[in-house]
Amino acid sequence: MTNSDFYTKNQRNDSNHDGGFGCSLMDLRSLMELRGTEAVVKIQEDYGGVEGLCQRLKTSPTEGLDGDATDLDKRKEVFGQNLIPPKKPKTFLQLVWEALQDVTLIILEIAALISLGLSFYQPPGESNEGDAGAEDEGEAEAGWIEGAAILLSVVCVVLVTAFNDWSKEKQFRGLQSRIEQEQKFQVVRGGQVIQLPVSDIVTGDIAQVKYGDLLPADGVLIQGNDLKIDESSLTGESDHVRKSADKDPMLLSGTHVMEGSGRMLVTAVGVNSQTGIIFTLLGAGGEEEEKKEKKGTPHNPHVFPVIITVKKQDGAAAMEMQPLKSAEGGETDDKEKKKANVSKKEKSVLQGKLTKLAVQIGKAGLVMSAITVIILVLYFAIDNFVLQKKPWLPECTPIYIQYFVKFFIIGVTVLVVAVPEGLPLAVTISLAYSVKKMMKDNNLVRHLDACETMGNATAICSDKTGTLTTNRMTAVQCYVGDVHYKEIPDPSSIPPKTLDILVNAISLNSAYTTKILPPDKEGGLPKQVGNKTECGLLGLVLDLKRDYQTIRNQIPEEKLYKVYTFNSVRKSMSTIIKLPDSSFRMYSKGASEIVLKKCTRILNEAGEPRVFRPRDRDEMVKKVIEPMACEGLRTICVAYRDFPADPEPNWEDENNILTELTAICVVGIEDPVRPEVPDAILKCQRAGITVRMVTGDNINTARAIAIKCGIIHPGEDFLCIDGKEFNRRIRNEKGEVEQERIDKVWPKLRVLARSSPTDKHTLVKGIIDSTLVDQRQVVAVTGDGTNDGPALKKADVGFAMGIAGTDVAKEASDIILTDDNFSSIVKAVMWGRNVYDSISKFLQFQLTVNVVAVIVAFTGACITQDSPLKAVQMLWVNLIMDTFASLALATEPPTEALLMRKPYGRNKPLISSTMTKNILGHGVYQLIIIFTLLFVGEQIFDIDSGRNAPLHSPPSEHYTIIFNTFVMMQLFNEINARKIHGERNVFDGIFRNPIFCSIVLATFVIQIVIVQFGGKPFSCSPLDLEKWMWCVFLGMGELVWGQVISTIPNSKLRFLRGAGQLSQKDEMPEEEMNEDQEEIDHAERELRRGQILWFRGLNRIQTQIRVVNAFRSSLYEGLEKPESRTSIHNFMTHPEFRIEDSTPHIPLIDDTDIDDEAARKNSSQPSSPNKNNNAIDSGINLTTDTSKSAASSSPGSPLHSLETSL
C-alpha cells in the first residue's frame, strides 16, 4: 500500500482496524485505488457487490445511516474525519522576522548600532586629556540615547507590521473556515435527505450527487442517471468520464459532477480520500518529510513517484485547459502562494507604482545624505586644518572621531527622513481596514490586493441569473390548449386531460431534490430549494391548485425507468416512467426553441393531440415565444411521448428517443430584476465602468433584461449577440481566435447571450490582452457555475456567488459576494478607489514632511554644522507621526463622490499634478517659516541663539521652537491632506472618522509632553505659553495657505505634469513579464519548463513531419488539408511560418515565457479539427525524452532532427 507510513498517525487503533466493521481502512483505501472494471470485479469478488459492501459498513443503500451519535463517533474514530488538517499558521515571531527584512529598517538598525557602539567606545589616551574626559561624561550620558531611540522606533514599526500581518492571516483563516462551513452536501440519513456540512460526512454515509457538485469524499456509485464526472483535477484527463454502477463506479473526492445525478456510498474521507492522499503528499506532508529526511529513516519507495506523477499530470491539465485551481490546490496551496507568490504574481497597480516611488525616493535620499556627510566632513576638515592651520594631534583623535560620527548620524537622519517608512504600513492598514469593512458590505475578500485592483476596474462582465436578477423564478405566462394566457389561468379553464399530463410531466420530470418549502418568516415568500427553473415550474403546479409531492410519492425516485439529465449540450431534461400497462411514457422539458423542434404534435383546446407542422412552429415562435422573450421571460416547453411496451426502444439511441414529441404547453418564467440593480449599474457607468452581461439565456430575454437593468439604452450604438455570432466574428477561417477580431467586437459588446463557458473566458482574455486603448483594461467577472472557473481565474478580479455559487467557482475567485448581489460589486469598486485615495492622501502628507525635513537637515547641516532637527526628533516626526497619520488617513470612509470619476488606470502617475502642487506649495511655506526661525528666530523671540553650539551643549529654546513649529505645521497639514482633488472644504465629513480626530488630538498631546518633559533625549527645553501660542499660530497658517494653493489653477503649472509618474518604458516590461507568470504557481513552473521544452520539441517534430509531408505531396495541398495540421497547439498560423520553423532554433530556457504565453493562448481555445491530435501526442510521449527534444532541433537537416527526437 503506497505511503502508508504517512497515515499511521491517522489510525490510532491499528491493531484492531475494523472496529467491528467488515472491512478495515486499508482495505477501503486499496479498493479506491482501482478504476473501471478492475474495481467492479474486486467489489463483486471480495465484498459481494455494492450491497455486500454496504452491509459490511453497516449501512443501508436506501435508508442510509441511522444518524446515531455513538455510531458516527465510532466511524470517525475508525475511518477518520472528513477534514484535511490545515497547515500551521505562521507564528508571531516568524512574522516579526519577516517585517525586519525591510531595507530602510535595516539601514536604520545598522546606523543605530554604530551610534550605540561609538557612544560606549572609550578611545585610548583618554586619561591625559582632561577636558575631553569632561566632554565624554556628557557624551556617555546622552550618546546612547540617540541609538536607543532609533532602535526603539524600529521595534515599534516592526511590531505594528507583524501584528497587522498576523491579524490579516487570522482573518483569512476565519474566512476560510467560514467558506468551509458554508459548504454543505446532501446525505441520506434515516431515510431522510438532509444537508450536512462536508466535514460531518462519515464513511458509510449515502450521499446524493448531482450536476455542479464538487465531491467531498471518495465513494462507490450505488445508482446513477447518466452521470459524467470531470476528473481533470486528479488525472489531468480533460474528457468527462462516464460513471455507472456496473462499469465504473468509483467516484473520487475533488472531482466535479458535470452532468447527471446519483447516489454513492462514501468509502474514504479526509486524508484517506484520493485528494487527501495527494494533499498530504504536497502540503501537509511537507513537514513530516523534512523530519524524516533529517532522521534518515528509510523512505517508502512509492512516495515520491506519486508526487511527481500527480504534479506532471496537473501541469498537463493546466496546459490543456487550465483546470480550475485544481482541487488538491485548495487552501493550503493558496496560503503557500500567498507567501511565495507575492513577488511572482503580477503586482497590483498600486503596488507597482508604490515600489517604484519608494525606490526613487530612496535613491534621492541616499544621494542627499551622502552629499550632507561629505560637505560636513570637508567643511570641518578645511575649517580646522586648512584655515585655522591646527595640526592633527594624536591625542585629539577621539574628539575628531566623535565629530565624524555625529556627521554620519546627521547623514543617516537625512536618509531616514527621506525614505517614507510609513508607506508599506499605510498600504497594509488601508487594505486590512477596507477588507474588514467590506465584510459588512457583503464582500468576502479572499486576496487582499483584489480589493485595490477593483478600484481600477474598467469593465465588469456579469452573469444575469442570480446576480442581476433575484434568482426566484416564477411562472407568469403560459400557452396551453391553443390559448396564450398572460397570467396563470384558473385550473378549470384548462382541459382536465391536459392538466393531468402537465402536472405529472412537471412533478416527475424534475430533480426530486427540488422543492418549494413554506417561508422561513411569516408573510415571506415560499423558499425555493434546488434548481430555480424547476422551482418556477413546481410553483405553476401549486398555482394550478395541485400538489406535486403526492405524485412524487406514488412514483419515488428509484421507480423512474431512465433519466436523461439536463446538460449544456442537450438543453433539455427527460424522464421515462413505466406505466401500469408496462408501456413507457417519456416526459420532456427544456428551452422552448429546442424542444419545439422535436415536437410533431400538440395538445389542442380539447386536450387531444393535433398535428404540429414546422410552419405552425414558426408561427408559434413569432406569436408566443418571441413576445414572451421580449418581456424578459425565459420560455420552457413541456412535452411528452408514449412508447410501446414491446419491442422496448433502445434507450441509448438518444436521437431517436427525443423526437416526435407531443407539446403540452409553453411556460414563460420570469426572473425579476433585483430592485437595486438598475441604480448600481448607473453608478458603474458614471464611474467609467462598462457593464457587460454574459448569459446562457436566449438573446431576446437577455436583451429585455439588459434594458430593464440599464445596461443598454435604446438608441445607443451597442452590440447584442449570441455565442454563435460571437465565435463567427472572432475566429478566422481556421477556427482560431484572433486578437484583432476580438478588438473589433468587444468595445461595443454589451450583451452576449447563449454563451458557453469558453466564450466567457475568451471574451475576458480578449479584453485583458487588448491593446486598442492606451490603458490596459482591468476586468472584473462574476460567476456562479463550475464552468465559470476559467473566466474567474483569468479576470483581474473574480467575484463568486456566495449562495448560488458552486465550490469550484468560489475556489477560483478573489472576492465572494455573500449576498449574490450586483450592488455589492459597486461597493467593492468604492472601497477599492478609497484605498487608492487613502494612500494618495497619505503620500501627499508624507512627502511634504519629507521634502521639508530633508531640505532643512541638509541646508542646516551645511550652513550651521548641525541639523536644526535632531535625529530623535526626526524619528518622532517621521516614524511615529507617519504611523499615526497612515492610520488616520487610511481609515477615511469612502463617499459616493468616489464613483463620480473615471478609473485611474495603470499609467496615471500616483502623484497627480494637484498633489504635486500641494506638496511643493506647503513645502515652500514650511521652509520659509523654518529658515526664518532658524536665522532670525533669536531676535524675534529675544532668546539665545542655538546655532553653532559646541558638541554637547544642553538643548536650546531656539531649536525647540523650530522643532515645535515644524510639528504643528505637520499636524494642520494632515487636515489639508484629507482632500487630494483640490476641494475647498478640508473639514468636510471629518467627524465621520473618529479615528482621524482622536489621532490628531493624541499627537498634539504627546507633542506637549515631549516639549515640556522631553529634556535631553529629545533635545528639547520647555517653552512658556506665549511661545506655544506662536508655534500653534504658525501651524494654523497651513490651513490658510492651503486655500491659497487651491486657487492656483493647475494649468499654470505645466512643469508638474511628470512628477511621480511611472514612465511607461520602465513599468511595462516588468508587468508583462509578471503577467506571463501569474497563472502558474511556482511549484509547477519548473515542471512547466520541462513541459514547454517538450511541447516545443514536439511542436518542432510535428512541423518537421509536416514539412516532409508537404514536400512529399505538392506543397500547399498538404498545408491546406486540416488533417495535416497535427500540431497540438496550432502555433504556426501561416503556411510560410510553418515551414520556417523547421530551421534550427535552439531553445534557451529564457524564452520559455514567450512560448509559454503562446501555449497558454492556444490552450484556452478549442484545438483545431485535428483527427490525430491525441495519437501523435501520446505516440511521441512514449518515446521522447525532454532533454532530447530540447536539443533535437540543433542539427541541420529537418530529417536528421526528426530521427533524433523520435
Side-chain angles (χ1 to χ4, degrees):
M1 182 51 232
T2 38
N3 41 14
S4 50
D5 48 347
F6 273 120
Y7 294 97
T8 42
K9 64 173 195 306
N10 290 319
Q11 308 147 15
R12 271 152 297 190
N13 38 6
D14 250 354
S15 48
N16 127 38
H17 277 315
D18 23 4
F21 295 103
C23 46
S24 69
L25 181 58
M26 280 299 141
D27 299 343
L28 289 175
R29 273 190 53 188
S30 52
L31 172 66
M32 288 320 290
E33 304 225 324
L34 302 174
R35 301 278 176 278
T37 39
E38 289 178 51
V40 181
V41 174
K42 171 100 170 161
I43 293 176
Q44 275 303 340
E45 286 176 359
D46 290 16
Y47 300 101
V50 181
E51 281 70 34
L53 189 55
C54 288
Q55 279 160 12
R56 292 225 193 162
L57 288 172
K58 302 185 180 168
T59 180
S60 136
T62 49
E63 301 286 303
L65 298 175
D66 51 9
D68 167 45
T70 47
D71 176 45
L72 296 179
D73 289 342
K74 185 170 180 197
R75 285 173 191 272
K76 284 184 183 167
E77 181 75 20
V78 178
F79 299 109
Q81 283 185 313
N82 198 16
L83 288 174
I84 287 171
K87 283 187 74 104
K88 287 204 229 26
K90 284 193 195 162
T91 58
F92 189 68
L93 286 175
Q94 279 170 310
L95 291 170
V96 167
W97 175 245
E98 278 179 17
L100 279 170
Q101 312 296 316
D102 189 51
V103 185
T104 344
L105 292 182
I106 293 174
I107 295 178
L108 276 182
E109 287 155 23
I110 294 172
L113 290 173
I114 293 178
S115 155
L116 268 178
L118 284 165
S119 70
F120 292 127
Y121 164 69
Q122 290 287 321
E126 241 319 283
S127 44
N128 53 2
E129 284 282 332
D131 56 345
E135 243 181 45
D136 260 40
E137 286 309 300
E139 168 72 342
E141 277 169 29
W144 62 272
I145 294 179
E146 202 153 14
I150 298 179
L151 281 182
L152 189 73
S153 42
V154 168
V155 169
C156 284
V157 174
V158 166
L159 287 178
V160 172
T161 322
F163 179 73
N164 242 325
D165 286 346
W166 180 75
S167 57
K168 191 168 80 188
E169 174 86 356
K170 202 168 123 205
Q171 253 182 340
F172 187 75
R173 295 213 162 230
L175 178 152
Q176 214 56 49
S177 60
R178 248 191 75 172
I179 296 174
E180 280 161 17
Q181 282 154 10
E182 278 174 7
Q183 200 185 341
K184 296 256 202 317
F185 209 79
Q186 291 191 326
V187 177
V188 182
R189 286 214 179 149
Q192 293 292 312
V193 179
I194 55 169
Q195 294 257 345
L196 267 189
V198 168
S199 53
D200 291 351
I201 293 177
V202 294
T203 303
D205 259 324
I206 305 294
Q208 293 202 334
V209 298
K210 58 181 189 312
Y211 163 76
D213 283 342
L214 176 79
L215 298 183
D218 291 356
V220 179
L221 187 65
I222 300 174
Q223 164 264 325
N225 301 319
D226 204 15
L227 196 60
K228 283 197 187 151
I229 307 268
D230 169 15
E231 293 189 347
S232 60
S233 58
L234 281 182
T235 60
E237 289 297 325
S238 52
D239 297 338
H240 298 168
V241 187
R242 266 204 117 96
K243 297 286 182 184
S244 59
D246 49 353
K247 293 204 182 63
D248 182 2
M250 302 317 237
L251 299 176
L252 306 176
S253 57
T255 57
H256 304 127
V257 184
M258 294 320 273
E259 45 184 274
S261 60
R263 287 207 317 279
M264 76 168 184
L265 163 70
V266 176
T267 53
V269 292
V271 281
N272 301 308
S273 64
Q274 293 302 304
T275 306
I277 292 170
I278 291 171
F279 233 138
T280 321
L281 290 176
L282 298 178
E287 292 97 10
E288 282 139 58
E289 222 132 277
E290 282 161 31
K291 279 181 207 150
K292 272 187 203 145
E293 307 230 327
K294 278 180 199 149
K295 285 185 194 148
T297 15
H299 241 49
N300 185 324
H302 299 296
V303 176
F304 281 102
V306 177
I307 298 185
I308 291 159
T309 49
V310 169
K311 265 297 181 203
K312 262 218 178 72
Q313 288 162 331
D314 232 40
M319 277 295 199
E320 283 166 45
M321 50 163 291
Q322 308 171 357
L324 322 174
K325 204 180 280 163
S326 45
E328 338 76 68
E331 299 92 30
T332 42
D333 232 41
D334 242 331
K335 306 251 173 50
E336 287 287 58
K337 271 200 202 114
K338 270 219 143 106
K339 261 200 321 235
N341 252 20
V342 177
S343 54
K344 303 218 169 74
K345 200 165 156 40
E346 174 185 358
K347 286 204 182 92
S348 72
V349 188
L350 184 66
Q351 276 172 325
K353 291 181 179 177
L354 281 178
T355 321
K356 201 152 177 57
L357 189 72
V359 170
Q360 287 168 346
I361 294 175
K363 282 181 188 158
L366 261 175
V367 172
M368 290 290 280
S369 61
I371 295 176
T372 314
V373 174
I374 293 167
I375 289 181
L376 284 171
V377 172
L378 285 177
Y379 189 102
F380 177 78
I382 292 170
D383 186 50
N384 270 334
F385 303 127
V386 180
L387 302 178
Q388 299 182 19
K389 300 203 170 54
K390 285 186 186 168
W392 178 290
L393 301 171
E395 57 269 28
C396 290
T397 310
I399 300 175
Y400 296 147
I401 287 182
Q402 286 193 341
Y403 267 108
F404 289 142
V405 170
K406 179 180 155 194
F407 298 152
F408 175 71
I409 288 182
I410 291 174
V412 171
T413 315
V414 172
L415 176 65
V416 170
V417 173
V419 179
E421 299 80 359
L423 258 187
L425 197 67
V427 179
T428 325
I429 291 177
S430 185
L431 282 173
Y433 173 77
S434 306
V435 169
K436 240 200 184 75
K437 285 276 191 271
M438 280 167 80
M439 284 290 289
K440 295 201 177 74
D441 285 339
N442 303 310
N443 281 305
L444 226 169
V445 182
R446 295 189 47 191
H447 302 135
L448 269 184
D449 51 352
C451 160
E452 175 264 318
T453 313
M454 207 44 221
N456 285 308
T458 53
I460 298 176
C461 297
S462 171
D463 267 4
K464 175 178 79 72
T465 314
T467 315
L468 300 173
T469 58
T470 54
N471 204 5
R472 274 198 66 84
M473 303 280 190
T474 37
V476 286
Q477 298 188 14
C478 69
Y479 176 89
V480 58
D482 289 343
V483 189
H484 183 175
Y485 295 96
K486 289 288 187 185
E487 50 234 23
I488 300 302
D490 193 71
S492 55
S493 61
I494 298 176
K497 265 194 202 158
T498 310
L499 187 60
D500 268 347
I501 291 184
L502 175 61
V503 171
N504 272 319
I506 293 178
S507 308
L508 299 175
N509 183 28
S510 55
Y512 278 30
T513 48
T514 304
K515 301 186 184 70
I516 294 186
L517 302 176
D520 292 340
K521 302 189 194 72
E522 279 295 306
L525 294 164
K527 214 163 88 179
Q528 299 189 341
V529 183
N531 181 322
K532 296 295 191 270
T533 313
E534 290 182 351
C535 287
L537 290 169
L538 291 178
L540 173 68
V541 173
L542 297 176
D543 290 342
L544 294 171
K545 312 280 186 289
R546 292 298 196 84
D547 182 17
Y548 62 88
Q549 199 54 54
T550 45
I551 299 172
R552 286 183 175 181
N553 294 345
Q554 287 161 13
I555 304 185
E557 197 165 9
E558 36 288 356
K559 293 251 183 77
L560 299 178
Y561 196 77
K562 177 155 180 65
V563 180
Y564 298 100
T565 48
F566 181 87
N567 68 24
S568 48
V569 181
R570 273 189 205 125
K571 293 257 194 246
S572 67
M573 169 179 178
S574 315
T575 303
I576 297 162
I577 58 168
K578 207 167 186 171
L579 297 175
D581 62 357
S582 77
S583 66
F584 300 98
R585 172 169 285 180
M586 173 175 78
Y587 293 118
S588 216
K589 67 163 194 281
S592 52
E593 56 258 56
I594 287 165
V595 177
L596 280 177
K597 279 200 185 98
K598 299 176 177 159
C599 290
T600 50
R601 327 237 277 297
I602 188 167
L603 295 180
N604 63 11
E605 65 276 0
E608 298 300 329
R610 66 173 168 80
V611 179
F612 183 64
R613 290 182 300 275
R615 68 154 184 267
D616 299 333
R617 185 174 73 232
D618 297 341
E619 189 177 346
M620 177 120 155
V621 168
K622 273 203 199 69
K623 295 262 170 65
V624 180
I625 291 173
E626 282 185 354
M628 280 188 187
C630 290
E631 290 176 41
L633 304 186
R634 176 183 277 191
T635 52
I636 301 284
C637 176
V638 183
Y640 77 102
R641 178 183 177 185
D642 287 326
F643 295 100
D646 196 42
E648 184 175 329
N650 171 15
W651 301 117
E652 292 307 310
D653 179 12
E654 249 182 81
N655 297 339
N656 289 333
I657 302 286
L658 287 178
T659 50
E660 302 184 16
L661 308 178
T662 307
I664 310 170
C665 80
V666 174
V667 185
I669 295 184
E670 182 184 40
D671 185 4
V673 172
R674 287 174 179 260
E676 62 280 2
V677 162
D679 189 36
I681 285 180
L682 185 69
K683 279 183 190 160
C684 282
Q685 288 162 343
R686 254 193 303 198
I689 300 171
T690 315
V691 182
R692 297 184 172 83
M693 178 160 104
V694 182
T695 172
D697 252 353
N698 84 35
I699 189 145
N700 293 325
T701 313
R703 192 185 285 116
I705 298 272
I707 289 173
K708 281 185 192 166
C709 293
I711 290 177
I712 52 182
H713 304 287
E716 277 182 3
D717 181 19
F718 57 79
L719 272 181
C720 278
I721 55 179
D722 58 4
K724 264 208 199 89
E725 171 67 6
F726 176 66
N727 277 310
R728 197 183 61 68
R729 292 191 184 196
I730 62 168
R731 293 178 190 277
N732 58 18
E733 307 73 68
K734 307 201 184 77
E736 292 148 359
V737 179
E738 283 188 356
Q739 185 62 43
E740 50 274 22
R741 287 171 184 250
I742 298 186
D743 286 347
K744 292 195 184 100
V745 177
W746 73 259
K748 286 185 182 170
L749 181 69
R750 291 294 176 274
V751 175
L752 180 56
R754 282 269 179 258
S755 72
S756 70
T758 16
D759 296 341
K760 195 170 186 175
H761 182 253
T762 311
L763 175 66
V764 173
K765 188 172 184 315
I767 297 180
I768 289 179
D769 294 345
S770 170
T771 46
L772 267 191
V773 274
D774 47 353
Q775 301 282 7
R776 166 164 123 54
Q777 295 278 309
V778 178
V779 185
V781 169
T782 69
D784 50 5
T786 303
N787 43 21
D788 293 328
L792 287 172
K793 266 189 93 61
K794 180 67 192 155
D796 295 287
V797 183
F799 286 92
M801 301 297 140
I803 305 166
T806 56
D807 313 327
V808 186
K810 290 181 188 168
E811 201 43 62
S813 68
D814 299 303
I815 298 181
I816 294 175
L817 297 178
T818 47
D819 62 347
D820 288 15
N821 193 336
F822 187 82
S823 58
S824 304
I825 298 179
V826 183
K827 293 257 178 49
V829 173
M830 212 155 82
W831 276 108
R833 293 188 170 190
N834 192 49
V835 169
Y836 196 100
D837 275 15
S838 298
I839 285 163
S840 301
K841 290 171 189 172
F842 174 70
L843 265 178
Q844 179 177 311
F845 170 73
Q846 166 96 48
L847 291 179
T848 314
V849 179
N850 287 6
V851 168
V852 174
V854 168
I855 294 177
V856 167
F858 178 70
T859 48
C862 298
I863 298 170
T864 66
Q865 312 300 289
D866 184 10
S867 166
L869 298 172
K870 299 289 180 290
V872 180
Q873 295 176 352
M874 287 284 203
L875 283 171
W876 153 243
V877 169
N878 208 27
L879 291 177
I880 316 303
M881 278 186 60
D882 286 357
T883 313
F884 282 162
S886 65
L887 246 178
L889 292 167
T891 52
E892 288 275 306
T895 56
E896 289 285 323
L898 289 170
L899 293 175
M900 302 306 279
R901 60 172 176 76
K902 299 273 175 279
Y904 283 136
R906 283 180 175 267
N907 338 5
K908 181 159 183 320
L910 192 56
I911 302 173
S912 63
S913 45
T914 318
M915 285 167 62
T916 320
K917 180 179 75 178
N918 289 344
I919 291 171
L920 295 181
H922 288 294
V924 168
Y925 172 82
Q926 297 185 7
L927 286 172
I928 293 172
I929 298 280
I930 286 181
F931 283 136
T932 312
L933 286 176
L934 181 59
F935 295 115
V936 291
E938 68 271 30
Q939 287 129 4
I940 301 174
F941 287 112
D942 191 25
I943 43 176
D944 298 336
S945 162
R947 291 195 305 279
N948 301 331
L951 194 57
H952 296 295
S953 48
S956 66
E957 260 189 286
H958 183 191
Y959 275 19
T960 309
I961 292 178
I962 295 179
F963 166 58
N964 202 14
T965 311
F966 181 63
V967 172
M968 288 301 122
M969 290 194 292
Q970 299 324 327
L971 262 184
F972 286 101
N973 195 27
E974 199 169 324
I975 300 175
N976 274 334
R978 289 184 67 244
K979 299 285 179 245
I980 48 173
H981 298 296
E983 296 91 332
R984 284 291 174 149
N985 180 4
V986 287
F987 292 102
D988 177 38
I990 194 165
F991 296 114
R992 282 217 319 273
N993 187 357
I995 303 184
F996 185 88
C997 305
S998 47
I999 283 180
V1000 170
L1001 278 173
T1003 320
F1004 189 71
V1005 172
I1006 300 175
Q1007 178 63 20
I1008 295 179
V1009 173
I1010 288 179
V1011 171
Q1012 297 307 86
F1013 311 106
K1016 187 121 194 197
F1018 281 98
S1019 344
C1020 287
S1021 68
L1023 301 176
D1024 55 26
L1025 190 63
E1026 187 197 357
K1027 297 197 182 77
W1028 260 103
M1029 293 321 289
W1030 271 106
C1031 292
V1032 176
F1033 171 71
L1034 289 171
M1036 288 179 77
E1038 272 288 334
L1039 293 173
V1040 182
W1041 184 246
Q1043 295 302 314
V1044 175
I1045 292 178
S1046 56
T1047 42
I1048 303 172
N1050 284 4
S1051 52
K1052 289 277 188 304
L1053 304 167
R1054 268 292 139 70
F1055 65 95
L1056 298 181
R1057 278 298 142 72
Q1061 181 157 12
L1062 285 178
S1063 53
Q1064 263 167 307
K1065 269 206 309 292
D1066 308 346
E1067 182 179 48
M1068 285 327 274
E1070 148 181 291
E1071 293 236 323
E1072 299 291 277
M1073 208 170 69
N1074 289 339
E1075 235 163 85
D1076 274 4
Q1077 301 167 351
E1078 91 187 295
E1079 285 178 23
I1080 314 173
D1081 82 63
H1082 43 283
E1084 266 173 22
R1085 180 156 316 144
E1086 285 314 306
L1087 221 106
R1088 280 288 179 94
R1089 286 261 145 113
Q1091 268 177 348
I1092 290 158
L1093 285 178
W1094 138 242
F1095 262 106
R1096 205 179 290 156
L1098 173 58
N1099 175 48
R1100 221 155 261 131
I1101 296 163
Q1102 290 170 342
T1103 312
Q1104 285 147 8
I1105 292 175
R1106 214 180 304 123
V1107 172
V1108 175
N1109 286 344
F1111 281 121
R1112 207 172 286 156
S1113 62
S1114 74
L1115 183 63
Y1116 279 99
E1117 199 179 275
L1119 287 168
E1120 241 102 83
K1121 280 208 309 264
E1123 285 86 332
S1124 68
R1125 280 228 312 283
T1126 45
S1127 91
I1128 286 195
H1129 297 322
N1130 357 17
F1131 272 76
M1132 311 350 154
T1133 33
H1134 308 296
E1136 59 271 27
F1137 263 152
R1138 293 224 179 111
I1139 294 169
E1140 274 163 26
D1141 194 70
S1142 64
T1143 49
H1145 148 195
I1146 302 167
L1148 301 166
I1149 288 287
D1150 300 347
D1151 57 343
T1152 47
D1153 279 323
I1154 313 149
D1155 241 72
D1156 185 61
E1157 177 68 10
R1160 197 156 0 86
K1161 269 206 183 101
N1162 290 314
S1163 60
S1164 54
Q1165 81 201 22
S1167 65
S1168 66
N1170 5 4
K1171 308 283 190 307
N1172 26 10
N1173 176 341
N1174 297 348
I1176 281 215
D1177 189 355
S1178 51
I1180 296 181
N1181 205 346
L1182 302 173
T1183 51
T1184 319
D1185 154 330
T1186 319
S1187 54
K1188 260 195 213 148
S1189 65
S1192 70
S1193 36
S1194 37
S1197 83
L1199 282 173
H1200 175 91
S1201 57
L1202 190 66
E1203 286 154 18
T1204 6
S1205 331
L1206 286 175

